[in-house]
Amino acid sequence: MFEQKNSIIAVKELTVGYGLKVVARNINLDLEPGILCGIVGVNGVGKSTLLRTLANFQPKLAGTIEIQNKLLEKHSPSELAQKLSVVLTEQPASKNLTVQELIALGRQPYTNWIGTLTSTDKEHIQKSMDAFLLEKLRHNKCHELSDGQLQRVLIARAMAQDTSLILLDEPTTHLDLYHKVQILKLLQQLAHQNEKTIIFTTHEIDLAIQLCDKILILDGDTNPFGDPCELIEQKHFERLFPSEMVQFDAKTGSFKVNK
Amino acid sequence: MRTPKSYRFSFVLILLALLLAWLLNISSGSVTIPFSATLSSLLGKPVDVASWQYIIWEYRIPKAFTAILVGGGLSLSGLLMQTLFRNPLAGPFVLGISSGASLGAALLLMGTSLLTGLTSIAFLSDISLAIAASVGSFLVLLVVMLVAQRIKDTMALLIIGLMFGSITSALVSVLAYFSSAESLQRFIFWSFGSVGDLTSGQVFLLAGIVLLGTLLSILSIKALNAFLLGENYALSLGVSLKKSRLLIIIATGLLAGGITAFAGPIAFVGLAVPHLTRQIFDTMEHRILIPAVFLYGAILMMLCDTLAQLPNTANVLPINAITSLVGAPVVIWLLVRKRKMMF
């Protein structure tokens, strides 16, 4: 019996960059439904470029990207909008939107030509607001929110878009430790309870090790991908930073500064 | 906590205000006509003086209709630009689009007589003036759009718009220097702005242009709402960027260019009205903003025109001066009171 592979995103031998400038090459990953996957790596190694390529904001240079067993570039914009949603580092252009209005925009791929919300749309919006603890803030304007609250709103918008794949670019920057953990816990919950596959880039390697199901380490060479435990055993984290500055402690899964 | 309002009540109010402004507009003018006579003329009853009937139906009603088209259309074009350029200070005047239309009109009104040696420009049709002004505004809009793609800084965009304004007004001055007194006068009168000098053919043409621009705006509602998040988010929501952007630019060019062609360069309406509207309609949803901004602009334009008429005198002030006198303090007030203009 040949089993149909239940893959949400499959990336093979991918090279990303701008025009002739290659930023990262030899990237492979394959994710099933309900997986939380972190992308880690040093500054400038191409995490954001990879994410932008996966989101179809810029063309890939080589290799293949398949979303639910169909090549990324074969999707029409509206088809892709029902399979893939994004949370970017850029702020929304208008912060005069209320929380509810912003989340409702996530339903655009499903609404009619003038954007009328059906009862199904309203259910999705309500569920997303509940999941990200935004009920009390629903009529607040976005410029009234803290960074952590705004980040939750943007992720709730992606959830309302109801795609099997969600991409997030550094969702935890500018947040304190408590809010970092809160966002990542909510993402984990979203992945496991709602069967969403979530890919995010981050600098919080120790948090990613604790919370992610899979990790992709961008090191500009082999780009290892796998379970956090496997990657620790294979000593991939040790090679991430120069060892005279910081050292990886395999027992605790965290980095220590060399004194 | 803020609760969402139903805007039905606000729409009823604003429609009532529109009706009042309309009545006020057609009951005032250089000839004093009693309000009761105006009303009975509107209701089709006989009026004491036969010329009143003529003035109301042949002059004042077309003029009020033109004011509605001009005010509504310019305000709508301002709203489209603020969303498209993600800039609260964008508007047809600030971004140099009105200047582009002026240049187009100036080339037609003064340039053709220069080039061909013809002193009479009577044969120039209304349509050619509309086309010249629309093309002028459309070209400036395209250039500003191209620049906006490269420069993310919103302040730089406004400065570039101002520079375009300077360049076009310089070119207009050069044209004016070499053109005949007659065509220069024609251009000067055009640049004062007016909603009263249109022939019925021109009014119909203007109505067609404004209708087309409004229809294109309505078709762009979903894209406009998505642009509130920024272009990358809009793309991820399935909006086809090039198509939507082009549609919005064409709508803006038609509205701002077409209106400027017939009514002259009218300042501040496009910039100020979207902000004034948001004082009542506190939403970013374009399904509500588009009709609200159009109605608000129409009301403001009729009020400005009523002021420009200087009731009971034969004098008519340039409407461009009135809209500036009303609009500029509004923008300053919004900046000071709200600290930061939101869009």
Side-chain angles (χ1 to χ4, degrees), chain A residues 52 57 77 81 86-88 90 92-94 96-97 101-102 105-106 108-109 111-116 136 139 141 143-144 157 161, chain B residues 1-4 86 218-219 221-223 225-233 235-239 278 282-285 287 342-343:
Chain A
R52 289 176 56 82
F57 289 160
V86 294
V87 176
L88 307 168
E90 64 186 57
S94 168
N96 210 14
L97 287 162
E101 282 175 330
L102 197 152
L105 283 176
Q108 272 220 351
T111 54
N112 62 2
W113 69 277
I114 204 166
T116 314
K136 280 184 185 156
H139 302 307
K141 299 269 186 190
H143 62 83
E144 298 166 345
R157 188 210 61 83
Q161 204 174 329
Chain B
M1 199 178 93
R2 200 180 280 114
T3 50
R86 302 180 291 279
I218 292 171
L219 285 177
I221 282 179
K222 254 181 104 164
N225 282 333
F227 279 137
L228 293 174
L229 288 176
E231 293 197 339
N232 279 332
Y233 275 116
L235 188 65
S236 83
L237 283 167
V239 172
R278 284 191 205 107
D282 189 17
T283 178
M284 293 304 289
E285 167 66 73
R287 270 187 298 171
M342 290 284 179
F343 97 99

Side-chain angles (χ1 to χ4, degrees), chain B residues 10 40 50 62 65 67 74 101 191 220 224 232-233 243 246 250 278 287 306 322 332:
Chain B
S10 309
S40 51
F65 184 57
L74 276 181
S191 69
S220 311
L224 286 165
N232 279 332
Y233 275 116
K243 207 182 97 195
L246 190 66
I250 292 174
R278 284 191 205 107
R287 270 187 298 171
T306 311
I322 303 289
I332 292 169

